[in-house]
Amino acid sequence: MDVIPEPLDVLSHGDGFFELDAGTAIAAGAGAERTERWLRGTLGAATGLPLPPGGNADENVIRLSVDPAVTGELGAEGYRLTVAPTGVQLAGGGPAGLFWGAQTLRQLLGPDAFRRAPLSGGSRRLPSCRLQDAPRFPWRGLMLDVARHFMPKEGVLRYLDLMAAHKLNVFHFHLTDDQGWRIRIERYPRLTEVGSWRPRTKFGHRASPLWEEKPHGGHYTQDDIREIVAYAAERHITVVPEIDVPGHSQAAIAAYPELGNTDVIDTASLTVWDTWGISPNVLAPTDNTLRFYEGVFEEVLELFPSEFIHVGGDECLKDQWRASPVAQARIKELGLAGEDELQAWFVGHFAKWLSARGRRLIGWDEILEGGVAEGAAVASWRGYGGGIAAARAGHDVVMCPEQHVYLDHRQADGADEPVPIGYVRTLEDVYRFEPVPPGLDESRTRRILGAQANLWTEVMEDHARVDYQAFPRLAAFAEVAWSALPAPPERDFAGFERRMATHYRRLDALGVAYRPPSGPLPWQRRPGVPGRPIDGPPPNR
């Protein structure tokens, strides 16, 4: 059974099959409406069958239900799937579990079930089986950076479908950075009028001499965001927005110069940054800045119903604060020990502000420096250390160490690997990633909400490059986040590769421009575009 992610238990796998035909119906109970809608639309398009509502039919029916018995044993995201020659029974512990079970059903139908129109001779058979399944972690995330290279709305919706196909359930939407502001804020229109466009773009790593000499940009209207959030919700995916503070903010300062450290530099001369790396231009720690971003977050909260709001908090260079009389006066006024505590005060302000509105702050692991507010969660990206420290301090953690699950890192050490960044992280390396760091006792281990793979797009100029960096490694990550795998050295990577032989055909049907196992295709290469490869194994810290 070539299902990815691997199910928890395959209770039986017989020799028979159930064949869908023109009389096959879908019968849906209470709580199954989203899955019924999705299944009819998806399988109907791929098979050409009407799949009408099933009513009281006993045979030739796909029966969908939400079952409290499944909830008690497998949780709300668990499901049981039984395929017999007479029909299909799919029961979820909750609506989400039912939907994940429908993803498994689609895989069992064969790669042609991933097409948008039926093929002559395409399979309509489901193999007889009985299985039950549930995820290991509640947070199975993908971060997509649309600030460095903008991805139009249709591309975002496509990635939500790809996430759903792999049972990933948190979409971390990185909307702002030095190189672009991508979400319309009605009370501050210059954020997109000015901040969403840059005059040119560095091609390759920041040390590259190459430039693309044309403007780059774009943004999402608030209706675009509402559509993305609703589309994700239909697929039981939570969208967590990221609005960066106090660093990675040059695009915002270019639009509204008063947000920057005006007593140190001429912020009115700044433009949206056109290169990569870490900009020294950071937000000023003033009341005006706090009020401005409260206004931003008020609109963000109206658009995103997620429990968590990501505020960045990473890579905030503090040279301007050290030179700024205004920043130094604020440090003295608040009785802080220095610039690290000033950043902690800045982030802590929004942690309290969000908490007062029933939301929770999450930030990159730098928010630990200088102290982090109670209730805030930490995304541990600089290795395991930040996650370990956060868990021991009683904070929830999402593990996304760059040395393991930054999918912008190169996939091989060959000379034809396009724009090679960072360490070599092969498909097998990602498959052997373990989200729970060693050395945590059971009470602290429970603080690990799950894991997340990150796609930073500095060297991904279009959706084909994003596909290449994401796949097939995102399939391996999805199995790590969902399945009850043994310890990394004991994982059956050979078995995973055998299942991937079928999964590649599913990706082909979906039009995913993945990296082939044999290496990049000629049009996937970027000869002459320099990257930043790092030799040797990544530090496991």
Side-chain angles (χ1 to χ4, degrees):
M1 185 175 292
D2 296 330
V3 174
I4 290 176
E6 187 174 33
L8 181 65
D9 290 307
V10 178
L11 304 175
S12 65
H13 191 187
D15 296 328
F17 59 86
F18 169 66
E19 183 153 7
L20 283 69
D21 59 29
T24 303
I26 298 179
E33 296 83 4
R34 285 186 188 177
T35 297
E36 178 190 19
R37 196 160 49 237
W38 179 87
L39 200 59
R40 181 174 291 111
T42 303
L43 296 192
T47 63
L49 299 174
L51 303 174
N56 296 317
D58 293 324
E59 294 189 358
N60 199 14
V61 65
I62 300 172
R63 191 168 299 281
L64 310 176
S65 64
V66 173
D67 187 345
V70 177
T71 315
E73 186 173 345
L74 297 171
E77 288 195 282
Y79 65 90
R80 288 199 184 103
L81 173 62
T82 301
V83 179
T86 54
V88 176
Q89 297 276 351
L90 175 57
L98 186 68
F99 182 73
W100 305 132
Q103 298 297 331
T104 297
L105 187 154
R106 185 190 193 190
Q107 289 196 21
L108 293 176
L109 196 55
D112 288 346
F114 289 76
R115 298 192 178 275
R116 296 185 184 180
L119 300 184
S120 176
S123 173
R124 296 178 176 180
R125 289 184 173 182
L126 288 165
S128 293
C129 63
R130 192 163 65 94
L131 61 86
Q132 61 183 20
D133 199 7
R136 180 184 179 191
F137 293 109
W139 186 300
R140 306 179 301 281
L142 175 69
M143 194 275 327
L144 179 63
D145 165 27
V146 297
R148 273 53 176 267
H149 278 101
F150 179 66
M151 181 178 283
K153 180 191 69 177
E154 287 302 316
V156 175
L157 299 180
R158 174 176 175 266
Y159 257 82
L160 291 170
D161 280 330
L162 291 171
M163 288 179 64
H166 293 83
K167 301 185 176 77
L168 298 172
N169 70 338
V170 178
F171 179 55
H172 175 170
F173 205 7
H174 183 81
L175 289 163
T176 75
D177 217 294
D178 298 308
Q179 296 85 2
W181 185 286
R182 304 294 178 217
I183 177 173
R184 173 77 176 181
I185 301 298
E186 297 298 345
R187 74 187 71 183
Y188 303 128
R190 287 176 58 84
L191 286 172
T192 45
E193 291 170 0
V194 174
S196 69
W197 293 92
R198 57 179 182 261
R200 62 176 186 168
T201 297
K202 177 72 71 171
F203 196 35
H205 181 253
R206 61 180 176 269
S208 167
L210 305 176
W211 294 89
E212 185 177 37
E213 297 286 352
K214 68 176 183 181
H216 175 86
H219 73 274
Y220 309 103
T221 68
Q222 293 202 351
D223 280 345
D224 290 337
I225 294 294
R226 292 184 182 98
E227 181 182 355
I228 288 167
V229 170
Y231 195 85
E234 281 285 307
R235 287 146 185 80
H236 297 276
I237 295 170
T238 299
V239 183
V240 175
E242 180 177 351
I243 306 294
D244 266 303
V245 298
H248 287 292
S249 298
Q250 184 165 327
I253 298 169
Y256 291 91
E258 65 271 22
L259 297 174
N261 294 283
T262 57
D263 57 342
V264 177
I265 64 162
D266 177 15
T267 57
S269 67
L270 293 178
T271 62
V272 177
W273 218 25
D274 58 9
T275 189
W276 315 128
I278 308 171
S279 170
N281 296 300
V282 303
L283 298 174
T286 64
D287 290 342
N288 175 66
T289 302
L290 297 181
R291 300 294 87 77
F292 183 98
Y293 273 85
E294 287 171 1
V296 169
F297 282 117
E298 282 176 4
E299 294 192 25
V300 167
L301 295 191
E302 290 175 1
L303 296 168
F304 296 92
S306 55
E307 175 186 5
F308 288 100
I309 303 294
H310 205 296
V311 302
D314 62 314
E315 297 180 327
C316 179
L317 300 181
K318 300 179 176 66
D319 294 343
Q320 291 184 358
W321 286 356
R322 293 186 185 97
S324 164
V326 169
Q328 293 303 311
R330 175 125 285 186
I331 289 172
K332 183 176 180 181
E333 170 199 340
L334 297 170
L336 304 176
E339 290 76 23
D340 284 347
E341 288 194 5
L342 182 61
Q343 176 171 337
W345 166 81
F346 198 112
V347 172
H349 172 87
F350 288 103
K352 296 184 184 76
W353 189 91
L354 289 168
S355 178
R357 289 154 181 81
R359 308 296 186 96
R360 292 179 65 189
L361 179 145
I362 183 169
W364 303 110
D365 56 56
E366 285 96 331
I367 69 171
L368 292 166
E369 297 167 4
V372 60
E374 182 180 353
V378 171
S380 185
W381 75 274
R382 294 180 298 178
Y384 286 108
I388 293 171
R392 286 177 174 164
H395 295 282
D396 289 336
V397 177
V398 176
M399 295 302 304
C400 48
E402 65 169 331
Q403 306 93 326
H404 300 279
V405 290
Y406 268 36
L407 300 185
D408 48 306
H409 282 213
R410 58 193 174 133
Q411 302 184 63
D413 59 4
D416 58 357
E417 204 65 29
V419 201
I421 298 296
Y423 297 100
V424 172
R425 292 287 84 192
T426 65
L427 181 66
E428 181 172 1
D429 290 330
V430 174
Y431 191 67
R432 297 193 190 281
F433 165 60
E434 173 49 50
V436 178
L440 289 180
D441 61 34
E442 184 178 351
S443 65
R444 301 312 184 199
T445 296
R446 289 197 294 270
R447 288 290 185 179
I448 308 298
L449 299 177
Q452 180 171 288
N454 292 343
L455 283 165
W456 299 103
T457 61
E458 287 94 334
V459 298
M460 301 180 215
E461 71 275 10
D462 55 35
H463 87 270
R465 281 287 291 125
V466 175
D467 281 4
Y468 179 91
Q469 293 299 136
F471 290 98
R473 293 182 296 180
L474 192 63
F477 172 80
E479 184 148 312
V480 167
W482 176 278
S483 303
L485 299 177
E490 301 164 15
R491 292 177 187 171
D492 182 10
F493 179 68
F496 176 76
E497 281 192 305
R498 285 192 295 272
R499 286 182 285 124
M500 278 300 301
T502 298
H503 201 64
Y504 285 121
R505 293 173 57 206
R506 298 179 190 126
L507 296 177
D508 286 334
L510 289 166
V512 176
Y514 59 85
R515 182 189 189 276
S518 57
L521 299 168
W523 53 87
Q524 293 175 320
R525 299 168 188 159
R526 296 292 186 273
V529 181
R532 184 183 61 91
I534 303 175
D535 293 329
N540 191 23
R541 64 178 191 274

